Amino acid sequence: MSLFTGAYANPLASTAQPAMQSVLNATRQTLSVAGAPNVNNMALIVVALTGFKGTLDHPWAALREQEEHYSGSLLKIAAMYAAFDLRASADQVASGGGLSTWPQIDAALKAQFNPEITAHTPSLINGSTVLKPEDKSRKPNYSAVLTLGTGPDFIVDFTQTQKDAFENMMVVQDNPGATTTIHGLGYPYLNGKIADDGFFDGTSKGMWLAGDYAQIWRAARIPCINDLDTAQGTTVWHLAKLMTLLADDKLVGSLSSGEMKDLMARAGNFFHQTTPPIWPTNGRFIASHGKVGIGPLKSNKQVFSEALIVRDTLRELEFVVIWQNVIQDGQTQRKLFEPVATMAEAVMNSFVP
């Protein structure tokens, strides 16, 4: 069983859906003329889910979808997914080898996975002139992340410490749990897995997580549009591929997708939490799952981002909505996020199943 199995098939159609894209462009132009903040610089993608589950042609429309931006806490999604993938792979090693004790499993993981991680470590990590030598060659701390399972589904499961870390970083949306998870995985596996699965292009575009949210480890950075560089960045296109696979229960596997979605279902979302809410909890659009991103640019301004699964309760349709590079410059959060919601709503309204 290999830890690195190659890129997922892309669940998004090769080109934007014309009617959805036309509405998005027109709505952005109207908001721009009205002076709405960020609409000329933000990145946004809306992907239709209903009726396309498990297919490779989900309709979508987007703005600046291939631009790399610093995305702050949004990239904790990458740490979560990589940890779940490690568990699934470790479980296959244990079951395939008939291993029944943790010392046996731990030894097998080190013997099988560590050489693979070395071979798949991105050059941006092992060739970094900034990272310490130990950070460029780290392997997962398997005993910190994983342990012998006690339930019916997995021979190998997460330690209680790792479960608590998921709760902290994804539900509470705090930093310590992300630091624990990243330190348990290490940059080589984390970024090697992201790239091998097709969510980073190996040079400068896609999901990149080489900072630990605590400045304990040095960070490896890549260029980005909205800041000088970033250790926690993505394009909305690459993250939309991951989120669509997650919504389709195809990310890692159906059980793992369900557990990851359970974490994201209990997290807060921007549009529901403004004062007053842009999307009331009893309104038409409900963000059923999500992860927010908030972080400081080097200009000291705050930049916001978010990844959502959204339900249109009027038409019983679901969508992935991801946006980033929304910079606060004196506005309230409601004023800041209203144009984002307006564009997302317009695209969802334009979709004809």
Side-chain angles (χ1 to χ4, degrees):
M1 189 276 157
S2 176
L3 185 60
F4 297 89
T5 54
Y8 284 91
N10 181 10
L12 308 185
S14 59
T15 58
Q17 204 277 341
M20 295 167 68
Q21 189 64 50
S22 177
V23 167
L24 178 56
N25 293 343
T27 306
R28 186 210 60 80
Q29 179 63 26
T30 298
L31 290 168
S32 177
V33 170
N38 290 294
V39 297
N40 294 324
N41 298 305
M42 65 172 289
L44 168 72
I45 190 166
V46 178
V47 181
L49 296 174
T50 306
F52 295 89
K53 185 171 183 177
T55 74
L56 304 181
D57 59 354
H58 287 264
W60 58 275
L63 300 169
R64 299 180 180 271
E65 68 273 15
Q66 295 293 345
E67 289 187 356
E68 188 80 15
H69 290 103
Y70 165 66
S71 313
S73 300
L74 191 62
L75 267 291
K76 293 171 186 176
I77 293 173
M80 174 186 68
Y81 127 76
F84 272 83
D85 202 291
L86 183 65
R87 180 187 67 171
S89 298
D91 189 72
Q92 290 185 37
V93 168
S95 61
L99 308 179
S100 59
T101 70
W102 178 250
Q104 289 176 324
I105 296 169
D106 186 46
L109 299 182
K110 290 174 180 176
Q112 181 164 335
F113 289 169
N114 286 6
E116 290 187 58
I117 293 169
T118 297
H120 286 84
T121 300
S123 59
L124 290 167
I125 297 295
N126 61 26
S128 171
T129 59
V130 176
L131 296 178
K132 292 182 178 181
E134 58 266 31
D135 296 331
K136 295 192 284 186
S137 61
R138 286 185 188 274
K139 302 303 184 286
N141 184 342
Y142 300 107
S143 292
V145 179
L146 304 170
T147 190
L148 199 63
T150 58
D153 296 323
F154 295 99
I155 296 172
V156 177
D157 207 347
F158 294 115
T159 62
Q160 188 58 52
T161 297
Q162 184 56 59
K163 291 177 182 178
D164 292 343
F166 289 143
E167 191 77 15
N168 178 265
M169 76 179 190
M170 298 303 298
V171 181
V172 180
Q173 310 210 57
D174 206 351
N175 288 339
T179 303
T180 295
T181 303
I182 293 166
H183 285 187
L185 300 176
Y187 295 155
Y189 163 69
L190 177 54
N191 289 282
K193 185 61 183 172
I194 293 169
D196 188 68
D197 281 351
F199 303 125
F200 184 71
D201 70 357
T203 58
S204 61
K205 294 287 182 71
M207 299 174 66
W208 178 252
L209 181 53
D212 68 358
Y213 294 97
Q215 292 77 54
I216 297 172
W217 290 357
R218 293 178 184 175
R221 303 178 185 276
I222 62 172
C224 66
I225 297 295
N226 62 346
D227 212 353
L228 296 178
D229 49 31
T230 180
Q232 294 123 350
T234 191
T235 71
V236 295
W237 171 258
H238 287 86
L239 184 52
K241 290 199 296 182
L242 184 147
M243 285 293 296
T244 302
L245 289 164
L246 177 64
D248 284 355
D249 294 325
K250 296 291 186 180
L251 187 65
V252 182
S254 59
L255 288 176
S256 293
S257 286
E259 290 181 54
M260 287 186 277
K261 285 192 288 187
D262 177 69
L263 289 165
M264 297 178 76
R266 293 184 286 115
N269 311 116
F270 285 135
F271 298 160
H272 290 313
Q273 295 181 329
T274 57
T275 306
I278 296 172
W279 288 352
T281 55
N282 60 349
R284 176 177 175 181
F285 295 102
I286 303 295
S288 59
H289 305 75
K291 177 71 185 78
V292 304
I294 308 173
L297 299 171
K298 295 177 181 67
S299 65
N300 291 321
K301 292 182 180 180
Q302 290 287 104
V303 65
F304 295 81
S305 54
E306 192 165 27
L308 300 168
I309 298 175
V310 178
R311 186 171 71 254
D312 177 351
T313 62
L314 181 63
R315 297 193 294 162
E316 290 301 319
L317 300 175
E318 283 194 316
F319 301 85
V320 163
V321 175
I322 301 171
W323 53 271
Q324 61 181 5
N325 196 33
V326 173
I327 300 171
Q328 193 169 36
D329 191 14
Q331 308 95 342
T332 65
Q333 287 195 1
R334 181 177 172 90
K335 291 296 183 183
L336 187 68
F337 300 146
E338 279 177 338
V340 187
T342 296
M343 285 192 287
E345 289 170 18
V347 178
M348 289 187 285
N349 279 328
S350 73
F351 173 66
V352 178

